[in-house]
Amino acid sequence: LEQRGVERADQLAASAVRLQEAEHGFRLLVDAVTDYAIYMLDTAGNITTWNPGARRIKGYSAEEIIGRHFSLFYTEQDQRDRIPWQALETATRTGKYLAEGWRVRKGGGTFWASIVLSAVRDGQGELVGFAKVTRDLTERREAEDRLRQAQKMEAVGQLTGGVAHDFNNLLMV
């Protein structure tokens, strides 16, 4: 009986070491990602973790932002429209909330963001918080806008050329 107790204690100790190693590896992975803001929220929407990508994209250090509500990243209009709270409700109900929209950086600047907000549940299915991933798509959006503008100008040019050609044909007659 004593031998089994020692073996079980050794198994638990080995499991604890593996868990610590897995947590350390996960933290290294999340911290290595700088193109995405990856952070956790508690069930009320307050920030509990913050990766270096979040600092790069949003401008806040972990010390400045942990404990604050994530709604501060939304525009004033989105806050008045209750969008952050609707996102939490949707993620709670369906497991995930996906969106693109304008978000606010430290200092008030805005950027176009793609966001994923996922509900995090424990082994019994109880909501314990949310995982939030944000990507800055401002450059892509600006490039798409420039492409659309160029396509419009090309269409106007073709239309103008066609009208000029038809007008020239009328003058020839």
Side-chain angles (χ1 to χ4, degrees), residues 41-83:
L41 307 174
D42 65 17
T43 56
N46 299 306
I47 299 161
T48 60
T49 66
W50 194 247
N51 82 324
R55 180 180 183 134
R56 186 185 72 74
I57 292 171
K58 300 194 184 249
Y60 293 92
S61 69
E63 295 78 23
E64 292 175 289
I65 201 68
I66 290 179
R68 297 181 69 183
H69 197 269
F70 86 112
S71 62
L72 69 96
F73 303 128
Y74 286 75
T75 64
E76 289 181 16
Q77 183 61 49
D78 283 350
Q79 289 180 27
R80 282 193 296 274
D81 292 342
R82 310 284 301 156
I83 302 296

